[in-house]
Amino acid sequence: MSNLPYLVKSTYAKAMRASGRLLTRAKILDAEPPERSRRLQHWAYSLTRVHDSLAIVDLGVPWWTYDAIDHIEQVLTSRDGDVRVFEYGSGASTFWLAERAREVHSVEHHVGFAARIGPELATLDDVTFHVVEPEPSKQPAIGSSKSGNAGLDFRAYVATIDAVGGLFDVVVIDGRARAACLEAAIPHLVDDGIIIFDNSRRRRYRTAIEQSGLREARFTGLTPTLPYPEQTSVLTKPARR
């Protein structure tokens, strides 16, 4: 019974991707996605690419809410691409950020997914890809409440930002052990830097966000490939006076 939500999502995703292929072959659906500025059309098109990170790359968007994407693009543009990024959780956002930053470090915990996306990321000059698996443990120092992650320690994964070192203008938190990732990221954030915290309305993340000392702007609404509204938060470190 515990696998039921996964089975429902998996079945839905396969059905939507199959529909997309059929509609494209029938020339009812264009081979190329609409411009992001045509939000409803872009979102409807994106539903046929659900749970396929490389297909989402072709949509030209990260997997955040559309309003968050628009806001973050403005932030990056205002800094003329002179941006250093660290990312927990790789995917379409890695490609999107690589086009807008001078340096991106991305850490992935899932070896199977890393094997699929790693060769694509290797074509990007400014991206360093880190694969850090969780370690089996009866008493994890840093665990994850994500289903199927019991008995896994994400301490090394979270600490990758320390191993890379230095300060970052942008940190993305969209992987495992997100509360611990947030705590680890704050000391590495430049003044006026931002943390992009996805799925931030989930109850298990709220305490960490609210106690972080960072200013939060919430962007709720449509998200590429998702048939329901989501929320992405942008957390800003106040500049020193």
Side-chain angles (χ1 to χ4, degrees), residues 147-186:
S147 177
N149 284 234
L152 294 176
D153 191 342
F154 287 85
R155 177 170 46 183
Y157 168 84
V158 171
T160 305
I161 195 169
D162 299 321
V164 173
L167 297 176
F168 295 91
D169 303 275
V170 177
V171 177
V172 180
I173 298 178
D174 197 10
R176 296 292 181 267
R178 297 188 195 186
C181 291
L182 176 58
E183 183 178 358
I186 291 173

Side-chain angles (χ1 to χ4, degrees), residues 80-162:
D80 297 323
D82 187 18
V83 174
R84 189 171 187 241
V85 178
F86 187 90
E87 180 184 46
Y88 288 105
S90 308
S93 56
T94 316
F95 294 87
W96 190 83
L97 288 163
E99 294 180 353
R100 295 162 174 82
R102 61 177 168 82
E103 181 183 348
V104 178
H105 288 266
S106 186
V107 59
E108 176 58 45
H109 79 283
H110 194 290
V111 174
F113 180 67
R116 184 176 177 222
I117 202 169
E120 302 296 329
L121 292 176
T123 66
L124 304 178
D125 293 335
D126 300 326
V127 174
T128 303
F129 188 41
H130 309 264
V131 182
V132 182
E133 292 183 82
E135 299 178 359
S137 174
K138 293 182 179 179
Q139 293 183 315
I142 297 178
S144 171
S145 57
K146 180 77 172 178
S147 177
N149 284 234
L152 294 176
D153 191 342
F154 287 85
R155 177 170 46 183
Y157 168 84
V158 171
T160 305
I161 195 169
D162 299 321

Side-chain angles (χ1 to χ4, degrees), residues 23 55 60 81 115 141 154 183 197 206 215 220 235 237:
L23 291 171
F154 287 85
E183 183 178 358
F197 199 116
R206 290 311 310 165
R215 297 195 305 267
T220 304
L235 312 177
K237 183 177 182 179

Side-chain angles (χ1 to χ4, degrees), residues 7 9 17 23 29 39 53 63-65 68-69 92 115 132 152 156 167 171 185 197 199 209 224 228:
L7 291 173
K9 288 181 181 179
R17 291 199 296 266
L23 291 171
L29 197 66
R39 180 168 299 185
S53 290
W63 206 8
W64 311 322
T65 64
I69 295 169
V132 182
L152 294 176
L167 297 176
V171 177
F197 199 116
N199 312 116
I209 291 172
Y228 50 84

Side-chain angles (χ1 to χ4, degrees), residues 173-228:
I173 298 178
D174 197 10
R176 296 292 181 267
R178 297 188 195 186
C181 291
L182 176 58
E183 183 178 358
I186 291 173
H188 290 279
L189 200 62
V190 302
D191 290 344
D192 209 27
I194 63 171
I195 292 178
I196 302 164
F197 199 116
D198 202 23
N199 312 116
S200 58
R201 66 178 179 178
R202 293 177 184 172
R203 187 175 302 174
R204 63 182 182 270
Y205 302 144
R206 290 311 310 165
T207 299
I209 291 172
E210 290 163 6
Q211 294 181 353
S212 69
L214 306 179
R215 297 195 305 267
E216 181 185 14
R218 303 180 190 182
F219 298 90
T220 304
L222 291 178
T223 299
T225 80
L226 297 184
Y228 50 84

Side-chain angles (χ1 to χ4, degrees), residues 23-42:
L23 291 171
T24 301
R25 282 199 293 268
K27 297 185 178 181
I28 296 172
L29 197 66
D30 290 338
E32 298 295 326
E35 293 294 325
R36 192 178 90 218
S37 57
R38 297 166 58 197
R39 180 168 299 185
L40 285 176
Q41 292 93 328
H42 189 280

